[in-house]
Amino acid sequence: MSRISFKRVTPERSTILDADGDFVGEVSRQPDILNPGKHYYVIHLDEDPRGFARVHDRARIRDVAQRMLDTHPYF
């Protein structure tokens, strides 16, 4: 069972919340300029020195975000 949840802010942006409902990051949908009509997703966790992760498959967002949170150096 997942320990994170998402709250949609706009059609292109969602916040990532931990199990306590605290803000831990964001997901944004970006147009893929190399593949017209397609999108990719950028996951960025708060205060993560590793930077962002780009995900092309929408179904993998939760798994990637959870793995990033599980291995976050400060959380």
Side-chain angles (χ1 to χ4, degrees), residues 20-59:
D20 296 325
D22 296 325
F23 172 87
V24 293
E26 295 181 330
V27 177
S28 62
R29 183 176 90 157
Q30 302 291 321
D32 188 342
I33 61 171
L34 299 177
N35 296 300
K38 303 276 185 180
H39 297 89
Y40 64 90
Y41 302 88
V42 176
I43 301 170
H44 187 266
L45 297 183
D46 198 32
E47 298 183 21
D48 192 341
R50 301 170 298 181
F52 64 89
R54 186 178 310 172
V55 178
H56 291 276
D57 182 2
R58 185 174 184 264

